[in-house]
Amino acid sequence: MVELPPKRVPRVDCMDCRIRRLTTFREFSPTELAFVSDFKIGQLAVNAGSTVIGEGARNPHLFTVYEGWGFRYKILEDGRRQVLNYVLPGDLIGLQGMLMGEMQHSVEAITPMQFCVFERDKISTLYERHAGLAFDITWIAAQEERILDEHLLSIGRRSAMERAAYLLAFLSNRARESGLVNGGPITLMVTQQHVADTLGLSIVHTNKTLRKLADRGVIRWLERGCDVLDEAALCQIAGWRPANPRQRPFI
Amino acid sequence: MVELPPKRVPRVDCMDCRIRRLTTFREFSPTELAFVSDFKIGQLAVNAGSTVIGEGARNPHLFTVYEGWGFRYKILEDGRRQVLNYVLPGDLIGLQGMLMGEMQHSVEAITPMQFCVFERDKISTLYERHAGLAFDITWIAAQEERILDEHLLSIGRRSAMERAAYLLAFLSNRARESGLVNGGPITLMVTQQHVADTLGLSIVHTNKTLRKLADRGVIRWLERGCDVLDEAALCQIAGWRPANPRQRPFI
DNA sequence: CGGGCCCTTGAATTCTCTCAAACAATGTGG
DNA sequence: CCACATTGTTTGAGAGAATTCAAGGGCCCG
């Protein structure tokens, strides 16, 4: 994958933030908005396939995804890769790196992406003067933990078919909550290799499993993505029910 | 497993806290200590096998493990169980329940356990008046996330033998950091069923894998536990290296 | 002393992986 | 504009890994 240099893009003012307008996300108080606006130091745009943060990076910045699809992953020394989770608009990334001093995983862009970049050194001010936002960051971390718990259950105990159905239903939900839909069927921007590396399966077996789902008419596989045609069926196959959607915080 | 009622035990004063004296954990400032001491509302003791918090519990309390071994898990409708992580002295549990309003996983005691119970309603005071402690709670959540990332990598991409070695090395490390050692070999308080449900393997295959490790002299399996004889060998088999031990926060 | 939990082992079956090959779509350089 | 490389998807076949089924022994507790 060729890595082009980050693109120059105009900074989005927090006042005009597209994400804030989504009903999924909760509203800031005026003082919080003022602080966050000051907390943000820039806009970052990367091409599809770029590594946004690499494992081992020291003191990386703190970002919120503004646009695009990406994923977090870890690799073993011999190259085996595990996708840990996907990152969508509104997601906070780099928290581990900021707290632990070093990133323990990498983040790669699937589509072109944009991020809001925050001033690392102001995080202590945030904790001292904006308890509400501090609480939100903890909430976000706990939420990620909850999702990882579910993935662990899925990889550890579900069959290949159930796992695939779970993942697609999960992503479908995430995409909807992140405002990545526009009426028609939800399109997930992932390749079969991503799915395989998320499910802990080989690419071949993943293909055969997805084929069965497509033959049943539950999904339609595209070049580099898939349309979810029957989300309820996916949930039913997986034996999974999404958490109640509630307004969630973001920075 | 018979569930006996919680035992009455004397409350441990934060001044006398055994965990605070371990070098693994960082020291409180006097004002923090005073606050935490007030934050703590009681001591809870449970028998081995008890369910400490059940999935679906509404507004559960916030606890810190004071003594004993336990584990967090989720189950599918048909009973398949996945162990998500183990809880040892110093670990905070119930954060998800407090933030999300409902527990998404259960916690069960392996050995008899004791907990410090905290006043849920004072959490907002903690965030407003003790930014340092608030930051610590976020740190703890991010740390759990990091561990889940590693487990996910392990279950998703390591072979049965590598997975087993990783888990035992991981637990060995955790036990050492939690002050559960006294000179001799580290004894992990888990059954093969726990290991199987953590690794996402069947009990039979887990047994055969552990047998190989025991035959190699890397571990010695006991009734309801195992002695780690050669931690370095486990790390080597798993291709894993523990994170640098650093002082970590706790509440 | 019976029942339950834990560990152990062998055998047959099922699931998943690796290997191999092929095709379509896209992008690149000449 | 075309040859060529690359990426992503698809399929079949054989090999390997892990599961289920079955059974037995040891230990503790009521």
Side-chain angles (χ1 to χ4, degrees), chain A residues 72 80-82 96 99-100 127 131 135 138 143 145 148-149 156-158 162 196-197 201 246, chain B residues 72 76 80-82 96 99-100 127 131 135 138 143 145 148-149 156-157 162 196-197 201 246:
Chain A
R72 301 197 301 118
R80 284 175 286 179
R81 181 176 77 168
Q82 177 65 39
Q96 266 186 44
L99 294 171
M100 317 276 170
Y127 271 80
F135 197 81
T138 308
Q143 170 73 0
E145 193 186 313
L148 293 176
D149 283 353
R157 288 302 181 209
R158 277 194 248 251
E162 291 168 335
D197 287 349
L201 297 172
R246 323 168 35 182
Chain B
R72 298 199 302 119
L76 293 172
R80 283 175 286 178
R81 182 176 76 169
Q82 178 64 39
Q96 267 186 45
L99 295 170
M100 316 278 170
Y127 271 80
F135 197 80
T138 308
Q143 170 74 2
E145 193 185 313
L148 293 176
D149 283 353
R157 288 303 181 208
E162 291 168 335
D197 287 349
L201 297 172
R246 322 168 38 181

Side-chain angles (χ1 to χ4, degrees), chain B residues 45-178:
Chain B
V46 301
N47 294 99
S50 304
T51 298
V52 184
I53 314 182
E55 184 166 348
R58 315 272 326 167
N59 295 317
H61 278 292
L62 197 60
F63 305 96
T64 287
V65 179
Y66 185 67
E67 212 175 271
W69 287 72
F71 63 98
R72 298 199 302 119
Y73 68 96
K74 281 176 86 77
I75 45 171
L76 293 172
E77 285 184 5
D78 61 5
R80 283 175 286 178
R81 182 176 76 169
Q82 178 64 39
V83 173
L84 306 167
N85 198 8
Y86 292 82
V87 296
L88 272 65
D91 287 355
L92 185 67
I93 67 178
L95 188 60
Q96 267 186 45
M98 199 200 61
L99 295 170
M100 316 278 170
E102 185 173 334
M103 287 297 286
Q104 305 287 330
H105 62 259
S106 305
V107 179
E108 185 177 314
I110 297 177
T111 65
M113 295 185 82
Q114 277 193 46
F115 303 88
C116 304
V117 188
F118 300 110
E119 174 67 74
R120 192 176 40 243
D121 297 339
K122 285 216 180 84
I123 192 78
S124 52
T125 312
L126 185 154
Y127 271 80
E128 280 154 21
R129 306 237 190 97
H130 297 274
L133 294 177
F135 197 80
D136 287 347
I137 291 181
T138 308
W139 192 97
I140 288 168
Q143 170 74 2
E144 179 73 10
E145 193 185 313
R146 196 185 63 73
I147 290 172
L148 293 176
D149 283 353
E150 293 209 324
H151 287 189
L152 217 34
L153 171 64
S154 205
I155 297 200
R157 288 303 181 208
R158 278 194 247 251
S159 70
M161 176 63 78
E162 291 168 335
R163 267 185 249 186
Y166 159 73
L167 178 62
L168 298 175
F170 167 78
L171 287 176
S172 185
N173 252 277
R174 296 265 0 244
R176 187 166 347 90
E177 288 179 358
S178 298

Side-chain angles (χ1 to χ4, degrees), chain A residues 24-36:
Chain A
T24 320
F25 296 94
R26 75 110 172 71
E27 191 49 88
F28 290 123
S29 74
T31 53
E32 283 172 345
L33 184 56
F35 176 82
V36 170

Side-chain angles (χ1 to χ4, degrees), chain A residues 70-134:
Chain A
F71 63 99
R72 301 197 301 118
Y73 68 96
K74 282 175 84 76
I75 44 170
L76 293 172
E77 285 184 3
D78 62 5
R80 284 175 286 179
R81 181 176 77 168
Q82 177 65 39
V83 172
L84 306 168
N85 198 7
Y86 292 81
V87 295
L88 272 65
D91 287 355
L92 185 66
I93 67 178
L95 188 61
Q96 266 186 44
M98 198 199 62
L99 294 171
M100 317 276 170
E102 185 174 331
M103 286 299 283
Q104 304 288 330
H105 61 259
S106 304
V107 178
E108 185 177 312
I110 297 177
T111 65
M113 294 184 82
Q114 278 193 46
F115 303 89
C116 305
V117 188
F118 300 110
E119 174 67 75
R120 191 174 41 242
D121 297 339
K122 285 216 180 84
I123 191 78
S124 52
T125 311
L126 184 153
Y127 271 80
E128 280 154 21
R129 307 234 191 98
H130 296 275
L133 293 177

Side-chain angles (χ1 to χ4, degrees), chain A residues 7-222:
Chain A
K7 283 180 293 194
R8 283 222 157 270
V9 284
R11 174 189 164 123
V12 175
D13 191 287
C14 292
M15 291 301 177
D16 309 326
C17 178
R18 192 175 62 77
I19 296 175
R20 255 182 62 223
R21 285 200 292 271
L22 297 173
T23 53
T24 320
F25 296 94
R26 75 110 172 71
E27 191 49 88
F28 290 123
S29 74
T31 53
E32 283 172 345
L33 184 56
F35 176 82
V36 170
S37 195
D38 187 47
F39 189 33
K40 173 167 173 177
I41 56 177
Q43 192 90 9
L44 174 70
V46 302
N47 294 99
S50 303
T51 297
V52 183
I53 314 182
E55 184 167 347
R58 316 274 321 169
N59 294 318
H61 278 293
L62 197 60
F63 306 96
T64 286
V65 178
Y66 186 67
E67 212 175 272
W69 287 72
F71 63 99
R72 301 197 301 118
Y73 68 96
K74 282 175 84 76
I75 44 170
L76 293 172
E77 285 184 3
D78 62 5
R80 284 175 286 179
R81 181 176 77 168
Q82 177 65 39
V83 172
L84 306 168
N85 198 7
Y86 292 81
V87 295
L88 272 65
D91 287 355
L92 185 66
I93 67 178
L95 188 61
Q96 266 186 44
M98 198 199 62
L99 294 171
M100 317 276 170
E102 185 174 331
M103 286 299 283
Q104 304 288 330
H105 61 259
S106 304
V107 178
E108 185 177 312
I110 297 177
T111 65
M113 294 184 82
Q114 278 193 46
F115 303 89
C116 305
V117 188
F118 300 110
E119 174 67 75
R120 191 174 41 242
D121 297 339
K122 285 216 180 84
I123 191 78
S124 52
T125 311
L126 184 153
Y127 271 80
E128 280 154 21
R129 307 234 191 98
H130 296 275
L133 293 177
F135 197 81
D136 287 347
I137 290 181
T138 308
W139 192 97
I140 289 168
Q143 170 73 0
E144 179 74 9
E145 193 186 313
R146 195 185 65 73
I147 290 172
L148 293 176
D149 283 353
E150 293 209 323
H151 287 189
L152 217 34
L153 171 65
S154 204
I155 297 200
R157 288 302 181 209
R158 277 194 248 251
S159 69
M161 177 62 80
E162 291 168 335
R163 267 185 249 187
Y166 159 73
L167 177 63
L168 299 176
F170 167 78
L171 287 176
S172 184
N173 252 277
R174 296 265 0 245
R176 186 166 348 91
E177 288 180 358
S178 297
L180 292 175
V181 291
N182 34 17
I186 297 175
T187 301
L188 310 180
M189 303 300 284
V190 292
T191 65
Q192 297 194 355
Q193 186 67 65
H194 292 131
V195 174
D197 287 349
T198 312
L199 302 182
L201 297 172
S202 71
I203 175 82
V204 174
H205 198 60
T206 299
N207 175 274
K208 287 171 182 167
T209 306
L210 292 173
R211 190 104 291 286
K212 284 181 197 164
L213 285 173
D215 290 345
R216 287 210 226 174
V218 180
I219 61 169
R220 176 171 44 226
W221 200 267
L222 319 167

